């Protein structure tokens, strides 16, 4: 698919996906959502893909949902409105469920759905000047589709404060509440992202995919409820070719075949 608002650059097992609608600060309308969803569908089936870096072109990462697009929705039927919102929800779900490591490279601002995109990344590196915010309530709307991804990241207490006020908050605060993992000066952004990319490439691809699938199934459940599921997960993986290779490489004091 030829994208209008996404730039996709592939280098071996790493794909760099950049939101490219800088004149409106990478706000996403139906076209951006369709392109992200289409890209995520392909990425999910791409067994050679191990790391994704999600970034934004221009001054900011993303100003979230396109206000013009949402304002137009008043002219749509309730049914059309729900269908349209469901497509955005599916886009967030698709990125969230990618079996590879997704790293957010965030600068400038990540507001509304932009902070939602940060929440579906596994690792988020932000510049120290980045502003975050679940600003929807300030615009008379609400952080609905992103809430299933935001809540597990920042917890109910921070979500109630930040979503109910719509206040903008610093990268340092975003790190404190678990939305961001590293805060760096702008000049160190790419090098820090690259360190995470390199680190991610040392983890085994199917082990990463299995871990990413397992964590949400275990989260919030009692240990005895997930005992069988977790036992099966490790049993399958340690007997797999990748599990065998990883364990043998460790015992033989050599790099595993998947490590760069
Ligand atoms: N939807 C549609 N257009 C948007 C937008 C959005 N979410 N965010 C910014 N834009 C547009 C502006 O209207 C402006 O258009 P114009 O050039 O025709 O006037 C253009 O993008 C540049 O925005 P501007 O505010 O001048 O850029 P900035 O670099 O000074 O500030 C932001 C960037 C992201 C801090 C600021 O645009 C902003 O706060 N946006 C709203 C973010 C928000 O609350 N999003 C939640 C949506 S649910």
């Amino acid at each position: 698919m030829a994208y209008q608002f996404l730039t996709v650059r592939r280098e071996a097992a790493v794909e760099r996906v950049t939101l490219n609608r800088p004149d409106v600060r990478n706000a996403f309308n139906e076209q951006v959502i369709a392109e992200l969803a289409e890209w995520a569908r392909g990425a999910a089936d791409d067994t050679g893909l191990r790391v994704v870096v999600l970034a934004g072109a221009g001054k900011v990462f993303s100003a979230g949902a396109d206000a013009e697009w949402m304002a137009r929705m008043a002219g749509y039927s309730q049914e059309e409105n729900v269908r349209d919102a469901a497509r955005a929800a599916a886009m967030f779900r698709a990125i969230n469920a990618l079996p590879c490591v997704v790293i957010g490279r965030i600068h400038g601002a990540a507001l509304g759905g932009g902070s939602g995109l940060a929440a579906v990344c596994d690792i988020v590196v932000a510049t120290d000047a980045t502003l975050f915010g679940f600003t929807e309530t300030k615009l008379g709307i609400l952080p609905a589709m992103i809430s299933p991804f935001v809540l597990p990241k920042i917890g109910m207490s921070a979500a109630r404060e930040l979503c109910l006020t719509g206040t903008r908050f610093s990268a340092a605060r975003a790190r404190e509440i678990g939305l961001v993992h590293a805060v760096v000066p702008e000049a160190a952004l790419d090098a820090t992202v690259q360190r995470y990319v390199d680190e991610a490439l040392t983890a085994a691809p199917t082990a990463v995919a299995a871990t990413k699938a397992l964590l949400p199934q275990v989260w919030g459940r009692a240990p005895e409820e997930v005992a069988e599921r977790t036992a099966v997960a490790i049993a399958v993986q340690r007997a797999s070719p990748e599990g065998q290779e990883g364990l043998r490489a460790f015992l033989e004091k050599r790099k595993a075949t998947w490590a760069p």
Side-chain angles (χ1 to χ4, degrees), residues 107-118:
H107 74 294
L111 297 170
S115 277
L117 279 178

Side-chain angles (χ1 to χ4, degrees), residues 56-62 105-110 125-127 130 186 189:
K59 282 175 69 175
V60 312
F61 173 70
S62 173
R105 177 202 181 277
I106 305 216
H107 74 294
V125 182
T127 67
T130 304
E186 178 118 38
L189 181 60

Side-chain angles (χ1 to χ4, degrees), residues 23-25 27 59-60 63-68 70 109 111-112 135-136 139 141 168:
D23 49 327
V24 287
R25 305 299 180 262
K59 282 175 69 175
V60 312
D66 185 318
E68 298 233 8
M70 287 190 291
L111 297 170
T135 51
E136 287 88 343
L139 305 182
I141 55 173
R168 292 168 193 229

Side-chain angles (χ1 to χ4, degrees), residues 117-172:
L117 279 178
V120 296
C121 293
D122 300 304
I123 298 163
V124 176
V125 182
T127 67
D128 48 15
T130 304
L131 277 182
F132 290 83
F134 302 104
T135 51
E136 287 88 343
T137 51
K138 291 243 195 273
L139 305 182
I141 55 173
L142 69 158
M145 283 96 73
I146 63 173
S147 61
F149 313 105
V150 169
L151 270 173
K153 282 288 176 92
I154 73 172
M156 187 62 92
S157 176
R160 283 168 71 159
E161 178 208 356
L162 299 170
C163 297
L164 299 186
T165 61
T167 192
R168 292 168 193 229
F169 53 95
S170 67

